[in-house]
Amino acid sequence: MYDQLIQKIRSIYKDMDVIPLHAPVFRGKEKSYVVDCIDTTFVSTVGRYSNSVEEKLKEITGSAHAVAVVNGTSAVHAALLLNDVSSEDEVLCQSLTFVATANAIAYCKADLILVDADPTNLSMCPQKLEEWLKNNTAQKDGITINKKTLKKIRTCLTMHTLGHPGHVDAIQAICAKYNITLIEDAAESLGSFYKGKHTGTLAPIGTLSFNGNKIVTAGGGGALLIQDEALAKKARHLTTTAKVPHKWEYEHDVVGYNYRMPNINAALLLAQLEELDGFLERKRAITKEYEIFFKELGIKFISQPNECVSNYWLNAIQLKSKVEKENFLEELNKNNIQARGLWKPMHTLKMYKNCQRTDMSVTDHLYDTILCLPSGVN
């Protein structure tokens, strides 16, 4: 079976000695845009490419507003700050996520409440979310209060895992019932749609990442997708050191953050975004090959959920046991094929292991059995 899989992957990624999990591909106007940016001398946070990227993201996602920032973590941090998250608050967050999601909450000095995953899409489980809220909270003046800690729960942060959209409608309905604001971490799901709407636009605020391993990259980079004009204006102000516009005075009216995406990164990203449709087409062709292959082998392939279109950022399979997963990982990596498991769940990391949490049986099982395969478009 290992030999068959190795042959299949090498048939997809021809003429590559080492096959990466997900490497960037530069085949468009990346060099010309970056050189042009250098020629203008506007390589920092002022320049036309940063603005062009925001317009392109609005076009791609259908978001009313987009604010480009330095990376996906800063985007999540800014989103939480826009929702006034502080040390007096607790934030609901899925345990099965990349650590940056949890870290952004910690930056705000807020406490995490970790929620189990849904086996159908690997994102937050609505049933576990509602069950925890029902059993552990009370309402006071329209605010959800943790009965044990007496802290406010005003924010829920859900992440679209591996590019597959989560159950946003169900989670949004639960949040509305408890007067909790939903934020979407769509770092991995550029090009993914839930019931016809792009991920990151279903909640008041969504975030994106353009790290080097994402479907398009700025080297780093991230963005906030915001639907309310006043909130978008506040986000732009907050992420540009809260500088009050003036020709020569340096006036700042609140504590701000130096999170604006540099123009030189935006030049690279704009060229990448122009290639997005082709990247998505190539990704779905790769996915189709994997799907057929694993169906013939009788191995579960992680497919896009119902009523969703996934960008298949990372193609993944689910094996029968942790031992089987580890054996596959060892064999593939021994043959210079980068395969990886999922991230260690947040409730297993030393800094978050004492957080309040739901039952984690699904998350633990997914971590033990899921393996991610090479998924780049090169």
Side-chain angles (χ1 to χ4, degrees), residues 95-260:
S95 186
L96 190 64
T97 186
F98 181 58
V99 70
T101 310
N103 286 347
I105 299 169
Y107 296 166
C108 298
K109 308 297 183 186
D111 295 329
L112 285 76
I113 301 167
L114 298 171
V115 181
D116 200 10
D118 188 308
T120 64
N121 55 34
L122 318 184
S123 188
M124 182 179 286
C125 175
Q127 291 76 24
K128 295 281 183 72
L129 171 65
E130 185 157 33
E131 180 183 347
W132 193 93
L133 286 168
K134 182 180 178 181
N135 294 333
N136 294 278
T137 67
Q139 295 291 310
K140 183 178 179 181
D141 300 325
I143 297 174
T144 297
I145 304 293
N146 185 325
K147 290 191 290 189
K148 182 179 179 181
T149 65
L150 302 182
K151 286 194 172 186
K152 301 183 293 294
I153 305 172
R154 294 189 297 188
T155 308
C156 177
L157 180 55
T158 187
M159 195 271 287
H160 300 291
T161 309
L162 305 186
H164 300 303
H167 289 304
V168 187
D169 280 0
I171 295 170
Q172 184 79 282
I174 294 164
C175 287
K177 180 179 176 180
Y178 286 87
N179 296 311
I180 293 171
T181 299
L182 181 64
I183 295 171
E184 289 178 80
D185 182 347
E188 302 168 2
S189 60
L190 181 69
S192 297
F193 291 82
Y194 177 80
K195 296 183 179 180
K197 293 192 69 175
H198 196 286
T199 54
T201 69
L202 295 120
I205 306 175
T207 64
L208 297 169
S209 170
F210 308 114
N211 188 37
N213 67 350
K214 297 300 188 292
I215 190 167
V216 297
T217 185
L224 295 106
L225 303 177
I226 301 175
Q227 307 317 309
D228 178 76
E229 185 175 358
L231 197 62
K233 184 177 180 180
K234 184 177 179 181
R236 197 173 301 280
H237 185 61
L238 190 68
T239 57
T240 52
T241 66
K243 186 179 183 298
V244 178
H246 195 281
K247 286 186 177 181
W248 58 82
E249 287 288 358
Y250 289 91
E251 180 72 27
H252 306 265
D253 54 3
V254 295
V255 174
Y257 298 83
N258 191 18
Y259 282 172
R260 178 71 171 164

Side-chain angles (χ1 to χ4, degrees), residues 37 221 323 330:
C37 180
V323 171
E330 183 176 354

Side-chain angles (χ1 to χ4, degrees), residues 323-342:
V323 171
E324 189 177 16
K325 182 195 81 170
E326 294 296 328
N327 288 341
F328 266 82
L329 285 170
E330 183 176 354
E331 197 67 27
L332 289 169
N333 282 278
K334 188 172 70 177
N335 283 275
N336 293 326
I337 295 172
Q338 289 185 0
R340 299 288 185 268
L342 294 173

